Amino acid sequence: MSALDEVLSRARGLIDRWEDEDCGTMAVKEFCRYAAAVDDVDYLRRARAREAAGEPVEAPPLFLAATMSWEDGPAEEELQPDGLAFREAPCTQGLPVRQVHGGQAVRLSRAPIAGTRVTASRAVTSAERKHGRSGDFVLLGFSTRFTSPDGTELTAVDETIVVLDALTKGTSA
């Protein structure tokens, strides 16, 4: 069985099996770190002023969708050859493959407020083997739904990951 066949088999076994991750309680500090990373100085000023005034502080619009993980990053020796952590590379662990982001659709329903506990629910939604000019690949579809404790959807992210065979030495992308 090829590496791509194995990815496809693993993914198909996970379709519609939702896994929840507790993202923790959102904090103004996290919102501001994100805003600083995207150079949103206006958000930083507004958020800190609202916090100082004791007013609710909403997260920046793409905060939830842009966060890859809620944990500290893995040690370097725990990264795959393509630089991804194993948890960010579902269905590909230990296989000679590489991944390319194939696109993302984000639905912003309601911004989380600092002090809100958020849950991320993620599932594989599709898995297809395809053939293109550069050869075979697998398209994996994922959905992530971010919700508040009462079940209200805050943000939804649907994304596609393209899985390709690993490059052999001496081959360029």
Side-chain angles (χ1 to χ4, degrees):
M1 177 182 287
S2 75
L4 293 179
D5 289 332
E6 180 63 23
V7 168
L8 192 60
S9 175
R10 290 177 185 182
R12 286 184 172 156
L14 295 174
I15 289 177
D16 292 330
R17 289 181 46 198
W18 291 85
E19 290 186 24
D20 291 346
E21 179 180 3
D22 179 10
C23 302
T25 301
M26 303 294 99
V28 174
K29 184 176 185 177
E30 294 166 326
F31 298 167
C32 288
R33 283 182 175 165
Y34 170 79
V38 298
D39 198 27
D40 189 347
V41 177
D42 291 336
Y43 175 87
L44 287 167
R45 283 189 213 125
R46 284 191 316 273
R48 290 299 183 190
R50 291 184 68 85
E51 181 183 41
E55 298 172 357
V57 179
E58 288 187 354
L62 293 175
F63 173 76
L64 291 174
T67 305
M68 289 185 67
S69 175
W70 301 98
E71 302 172 357
D72 292 339
E76 189 169 340
E77 62 271 8
E78 294 174 15
L79 295 175
Q80 295 189 117
D82 61 8
L84 290 174
F86 287 113
R87 69 177 312 281
E88 282 126 22
C91 311
T92 65
Q93 295 87 342
L95 298 174
V97 296
R98 58 197 161 101
Q99 297 180 75
V100 179
H101 199 271
Q104 184 178 64
V106 177
R107 183 175 59 247
L108 303 172
S109 301
R110 194 179 93 200
I113 304 291
T116 302
R117 185 166 212 90
V118 174
T119 298
S121 301
R122 188 173 197 216
V124 175
T125 55
S126 63
E128 300 178 73
R129 187 171 184 134
K130 299 280 191 174
H131 183 81
R133 288 184 296 209
S134 59
D136 289 343
F137 58 95
V138 173
L139 289 180
L140 299 177
F142 294 93
S143 286
T144 305
R145 303 290 180 257
F146 296 93
T147 57
S148 62
D150 66 2
T152 300
E153 182 178 284
L154 304 169
T155 299
V157 180
D158 296 315
E159 58 190 320
T160 302
I161 303 294
V162 181
V163 182
L164 307 154
D165 283 316
L167 292 173
T168 57
K169 291 188 180 211
T171 305
S172 62

